[in-house]
């Protein structure tokens, strides 16, 4: 059956055809067309008799409104809350490696302390993991495999809930604009942490719900992690490539989607 | 439902930061959004998450609403995209079946199709449709949107909507086999 004939017959079946003369003629003269018409009508009948889904309960509505307003009323977390899906995925997939402690790293650098930024960053990460565990999360910072999306997302949710306090607290200590050297330190941390993770960054999928996802300036880039410095930055890398020590790192303002700095 | 005049007023208030106005919009649309999400995703918890994510996006992008379609259609579009994201991220088909989430039906109102036990089958068949076909069928044939409205909600041309809806029905018929043969 031609596509045009299917369109005519289906539109006749659901009553949307402005003129069904041709469809009627087809049905009368073509057995295949008649069978198609009957199938379309039967499916429409079945769909039309489906009961409505059970509406949200009062409890579910209350939770929906509470959670929604909680997110909207918390401006400092807006950058992450604006895209809970992909940022939380990023955090889970990347093992939450770089965000915690980076502010501390920069703070120490600013004080002339050159005693190994990695050590500081990962020490702080461990502290956060322990703190999260103390709050009852199971493997709160463990990298997720990405095979089971719902499990990964759930883990990301939990990590985010416990993680935000630490990152925001750290961010408060670094209100000044990062220097080029600061970005290079973070970029180095990001590359090394990504290399150390068994999870590949290609599991991070940025859906279009986020404001930066559709930004053409970020074409060909994918999210590796986020970092809170004087503001929240997206740490992005070329999409689909294996992370090496040479991978260019692009820092993007999570609010404006502007590329702020690139570390080659 | 809001009338066009009050809808425009509410939108202006939301853009100005009036959260009570947004709350009114949300309460007027949340049941339909949830229904669409549940039909597409097939899982109640995921549908609740998608509903929340939809309204977060609506609030944050309300300034981008141009008024070229009904507000409800624009919200549908965000809901469908949110569901697509969930499906894509999870790399899975929607859960099936939906039976536990359906309203009990008055036995007296059940027609011969339901009496023949078709209802669970149509749910399962719907869940097995490709996501883009399923969304088109849900919006058009279950939620009752017109083809142009469905096109707006899905962000695709009307001709593509027709193709997805009509072929979606055909796939349903094939899956249901002789159960739908009159």
């Amino acid at each position: 059956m031609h596509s045009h004939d299917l369109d005519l017959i289906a539109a006749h079946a659901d009553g949307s055809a402005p003129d069904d003369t041709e469809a009627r003629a087809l049905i009368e003269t073509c057995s295949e067309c008649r069978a198609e018409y009957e199938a379309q009508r039967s499916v429409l009948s079945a769909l039309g008799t489906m009961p409505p889904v059970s509406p949200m309960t009062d409890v579910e509505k209350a939770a929906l409104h509470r959670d929604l307003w909680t997110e909207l009323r918390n401006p400092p977390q807006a950058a992450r809350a604006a895209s809970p899906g992909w940022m939380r995925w990023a955090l889970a997939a990347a093992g939450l490696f770089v965000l915690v402690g980076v502010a501390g790293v920069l703070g120490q650098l600013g004080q002339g302390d050159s005693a190994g930024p990695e050590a500081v960053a990962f020490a702080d990460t461990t502290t956060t993991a322990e703190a999260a565990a103390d709050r009852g999360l199971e493997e709160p910072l463990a990298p997720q495999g990405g095979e089971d999306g719902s499990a990964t997302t759930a883990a990301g949710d939990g990590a985010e809930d416990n993680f935000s306090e630490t990152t925001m607290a750290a961010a408060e200590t670094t209100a000044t604009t990062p220097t080029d050297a600061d970005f290079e330190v973070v970029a180095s941390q990001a590359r090394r942490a990504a290399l150390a993770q068994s999870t590949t960054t290609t599991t991070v999928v940025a859906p279009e719900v986020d404001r930066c996802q559709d930004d053409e300036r970020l074409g060909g880039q994918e999210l590796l992690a986020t970092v809170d410095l004087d503001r929240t930055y997206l740490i992005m890398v070329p999409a689909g490539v294996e992370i090496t020590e040479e991978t260019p790192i692009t820092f993007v303002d999570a609010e404006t989607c502007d590329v702020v700095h690139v570390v080659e | 439902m809001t009338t066009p005049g009050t809808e425009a007023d509410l939108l202006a208030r939301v853009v100005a930061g009036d959260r009570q106005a947004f709350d009114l919009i949300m309460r007027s649309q949340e049941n339909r959004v949830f229904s669409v999400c549940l039909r597409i995703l097939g899982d109640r918890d995921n549908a609740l998450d998608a509903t929340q994510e939809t309204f977060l996006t609506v609030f944050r992008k309300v300034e981008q609403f141009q008024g070229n379609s009904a507000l409800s259609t624009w919200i549908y579009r965000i809901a469908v995209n949110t569901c697509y994201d969930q499906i894509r991220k999870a790399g899975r088909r929607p859960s099936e079946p939906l039976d536990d989430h359906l309203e009990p039906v008055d036995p007296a109102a059940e027609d011969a199709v339901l009496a023949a036990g078709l209802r669970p089958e149509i749910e399962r068949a719907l869940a097995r449709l490709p996501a883009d076909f399923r969304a088109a069928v849900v919006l058009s044939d279950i939620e009752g949107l017109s083809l142009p409205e469905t096109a707006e909600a899905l962000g695709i041309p009307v001709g593509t909507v027709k193709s997805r809806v009509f072929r979606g029905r055909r796939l349903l018929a094939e899956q249901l086999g002789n159960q739908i043969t009159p």
Side-chain angles (χ1 to χ4, degrees):
Chain A
M1 180 184 301
H2 294 299
S3 174
H4 175 66
D5 293 346
L6 171 61
D7 288 355
L8 286 174
I9 291 165
H12 175 48
D14 67 22
S16 65
D19 180 0
D20 55 7
T21 306
E22 195 175 350
R24 287 179 183 278
L26 284 169
I27 292 166
E28 288 176 6
T29 59
C30 160
S31 60
E32 185 185 1
C33 300
R34 188 159 50 251
E36 181 66 45
Y37 173 75
E38 289 169 352
Q40 294 272 334
R41 290 288 301 165
S42 297
V43 169
L44 280 166
S45 173
L47 292 170
T49 54
M50 287 171 69
V53 300
S54 298
M56 286 187 286
T57 65
D58 289 343
V59 172
E60 288 170 335
K61 282 187 180 181
L64 169 72
H65 295 174
R66 181 196 63 225
D67 293 348
L68 186 137
W69 290 116
T70 296
E71 293 224 27
L72 292 177
R73 282 180 183 132
N74 198 349
Q77 297 183 20
R80 281 186 298 280
S83 52
W86 72 288
M87 286 199 182
R88 284 183 297 201
W89 263 74
L91 297 175
L96 306 178
F97 59 85
V98 93
L99 309 188
V100 180
V102 168
V105 171
L106 298 179
Q108 294 205 16
L109 288 177
Q111 296 165 16
D113 184 346
S114 58
E118 296 101 322
V120 177
F122 285 109
D124 281 0
T125 301
T126 303
T127 300
T128 306
E130 290 168 351
D134 288 344
R135 293 171 189 150
L137 288 179
E138 294 182 6
E139 300 179 336
L141 301 181
Q144 304 300 308
E147 295 295 328
D148 181 346
S150 57
T152 304
T153 303
D157 289 350
E160 169 72 8
D161 290 344
N162 290 278
F163 186 62
S164 55
E165 294 177 22
T166 306
T167 53
M168 294 317 297
E172 288 171 5
T173 67
T174 57
T176 56
T177 304
T179 65
D180 290 357
D182 295 334
F183 281 121
E184 289 192 16
V185 169
V186 177
S188 176
Q189 293 279 339
R191 293 190 191 105
R192 293 182 186 183
L195 284 168
Q197 300 295 322
S198 58
T199 305
T200 65
T201 60
T202 54
T203 59
V204 179
V205 178
E208 53 268 33
V209 293
D210 184 82
R211 65 169 71 85
C212 296
Q213 168 63 14
D214 295 327
D215 197 310
E216 59 185 18
R217 295 171 295 175
L218 305 178
Q221 297 279 324
E222 67 181 5
L223 183 71
L224 180 63
T226 61
V227 60
D228 285 339
L229 300 175
D230 60 319
R231 70 197 74 174
T232 299
Y233 295 91
L234 314 181
I235 300 176
M236 306 195 76
V237 294
V241 303
E242 186 174 348
I243 305 296
T244 70
E245 295 282 0
E246 311 299 323
T247 301
I249 301 288
T250 301
F251 290 87
V252 176
D253 187 318
E255 282 292 331
T256 65
C257 305
D258 291 335
V259 173
V260 176
H261 192 81
V262 178
V263 177
E264 298 288 351
Chain B
M1 289 289 291
T2 57
T3 65
T6 58
E7 182 175 287
D9 176 57
L10 283 172
L11 283 169
R13 287 168 55 193
V14 173
V15 171
D18 184 339
R19 294 183 174 184
Q20 276 192 326
F22 180 72
D23 195 61
L24 288 172
I25 290 174
M26 182 168 65
R27 290 177 189 278
S28 72
Q29 302 293 331
E30 61 191 7
N31 284 335
R32 297 183 76 190
V33 167
F34 174 71
S35 175
V36 167
C37 291
L38 183 51
R39 292 285 189 203
I40 294 175
L41 296 171
D43 177 272
R44 193 171 187 88
D45 288 339
N46 289 341
L48 288 168
D49 286 346
T51 301
Q52 180 181 332
E53 195 63 37
T54 295
F55 284 108
L56 282 170
T57 304
V58 168
F59 184 85
R60 290 176 174 132
K61 296 193 173 182
V62 69
E63 289 182 58
Q64 297 177 21
F65 176 63
Q66 301 293 316
N68 297 326
S69 65
L71 176 64
S72 58
T73 306
W74 184 69
I75 293 175
Y76 270 139
R77 182 170 184 167
I78 292 172
V80 169
N81 285 336
T82 302
C83 292
Y84 282 168
D85 289 335
Q86 275 207 11
I87 292 170
R88 186 162 54 243
K89 281 191 290 186
R92 56 159 176 75
R93 291 182 176 279
S95 303
E96 56 176 306
L98 268 175
D99 306 8
D100 293 343
H101 306 303
L102 297 175
E103 283 276 44
V105 175
D106 176 3
E110 289 185 313
D111 62 12
V113 175
L114 292 174
L118 181 59
R119 180 161 53 90
E121 293 305 318
I122 187 74
E123 290 285 1
R124 292 189 182 92
L126 192 61
R128 286 193 289 267
L129 282 185
D132 48 3
F133 283 52
R134 185 169 58 253
V137 170
V138 165
L139 292 176
S140 175
D141 291 346
I142 299 177
E143 294 296 324
L145 270 64
S146 67
L147 291 173
E149 288 171 335
T150 303
E152 284 282 346
L154 296 177
I156 55 179
V158 171
T160 307
V161 169
K162 286 183 182 179
S163 175
R164 291 184 184 178
V165 170
F166 298 163
R167 282 159 186 76
R169 286 185 208 147
R170 175 186 274 178
L171 288 172
L172 287 173
E174 290 171 359
Q175 289 190 54
L176 294 169
N178 59 13
Q179 291 185 70
I180 62 168
T181 301

